[in-house]
Amino acid sequence: MKKTLLVLLLLAPMLMSAQALKKRGGSVEAVVPEGWAHEEAMGDLNKDGQADLVVVATPNFKENMKEREDGYVFNMNNPHLAIYFGEPSGDFALWKVYNDLIPARDEYTTVETSLEITDRGALRIGVSTWSSAGSADTGGPTHTYRWQNGDFFLIGKDEKSFSRYSGILEEVSENYLTWKRQVKISGMFEDVDVEESEKWTRIPRTPLKRLGEVSF
């Protein structure tokens, strides 16, 4: 019994590491554990001439999986956001992992993410939600970050909110370099009775927020 317990204790770190994002690899398949759902974007984030890799990977830990009566399985694990910087060797080296930044889905709310690295090296992370019960609203923010002074800082946010009941779409865009906000109201359908509008305002200047300091 003691020997069995000792073996389990010795194997535990290896089992845990096998179910975690790898610190280094030459491709997204090399750094994401097998069976994890993932999406990725590539581009030069720190302007060193090397392609970098950003990954959103969702674990498949059984304790956070729930099967519906019809057999559909909900994956309610928290997605992990990981940033890898490219090296001259062709490998990607892990810079940081954010385990709880992107919310997990539940039985009624679906969470969808999007990733983009622009030609200028800005990182855009979008998180949108829609609910099958309890809410008719859908949409979410896209945060734009720029690498500077050894970290990623929030320089802009764009958010769309659409009501399936009213058919009204609200779009809010904030620029934290010019400190201006744009708000647009429009209808998603021809028969929506809404006065379309566009309004610009100034927003208070504050220190730029680092990636991880603003909830998605």
Side-chain angles (χ1 to χ4, degrees):
M1 180 65 180
K2 291 183 178 179
K3 290 184 178 180
T4 302
L5 181 60
L6 179 60
V7 171
L8 291 174
L9 290 174
L10 292 173
L11 287 175
M14 290 185 287
L15 293 173
M16 291 178 65
S17 63
Q19 291 298 310
L21 290 164
K22 304 300 187 294
K23 293 184 177 181
R24 181 181 297 275
S27 66
V28 63
E29 291 79 14
V31 299
V32 176
E34 184 177 355
W36 287 25
H38 62 84
E39 60 183 302
E40 62 280 341
M42 293 182 63
D44 190 358
L45 292 167
N46 55 357
K47 297 180 175 61
D48 65 349
Q50 304 292 329
D52 306 309
L53 174 67
V54 180
V55 180
V56 172
T58 305
N60 57 353
F61 301 143
K62 291 183 179 180
E63 60 268 24
N64 295 318
M65 309 286 278
K66 185 173 182 179
E67 186 174 353
R68 202 165 56 189
E69 292 181 355
D70 62 1
Y72 181 82
V73 178
F74 295 99
N75 186 344
M76 296 186 285
N77 285 280
N78 261 102
H80 297 177
L81 172 68
I83 298 176
Y84 292 81
F85 285 123
E87 299 182 330
S89 65
D91 278 354
F92 298 102
L94 180 64
W95 179 71
K96 189 177 291 188
V97 178
Y98 302 85
N99 292 327
D100 302 315
L101 186 60
I102 299 175
R105 70 152 303 160
D106 58 32
E107 292 181 63
Y108 305 106
T109 303
T110 298
V111 179
E112 297 179 343
T113 59
S114 63
L115 293 173
E116 179 191 3
I117 299 176
T118 69
D119 293 340
R120 293 188 174 187
L123 171 60
R124 290 174 56 81
I125 307 169
V127 177
S128 62
T129 62
W130 65 271
S131 179
S132 60
S135 175
D137 294 335
T138 182
T142 296
H143 294 81
T144 302
Y145 291 88
R146 182 174 68 184
W147 174 260
Q148 60 186 50
N149 302 323
D151 210 335
F152 289 91
F153 288 85
L154 182 64
I155 61 172
K157 183 175 75 169
D158 301 283
E159 186 162 9
K160 293 183 179 181
S161 179
F162 169 62
S163 172
R164 298 196 296 271
Y165 287 154
S166 67
I168 295 176
L169 173 67
E170 181 181 69
E171 301 173 85
V172 180
S173 179
E174 296 181 340
N175 188 315
Y176 305 129
L177 299 178
T178 62
W179 300 101
K180 292 182 180 180
R181 176 190 289 121
Q182 178 194 40
V183 179
K184 296 172 64 177
I185 304 293
S186 60
M188 287 291 289
F189 313 113
E190 293 183 359
D191 58 349
V192 174
D193 184 16
V194 59
E195 182 178 350
E196 297 191 358
S197 64
E198 179 179 355
K199 183 179 180 181
W200 287 87
T201 57
R202 290 194 173 275
I203 52 181
R205 291 177 177 267
T206 58
L208 297 179
K209 301 291 187 181
R210 298 173 187 265
L211 179 57
E213 293 182 337
V214 176
S215 173
F216 288 174

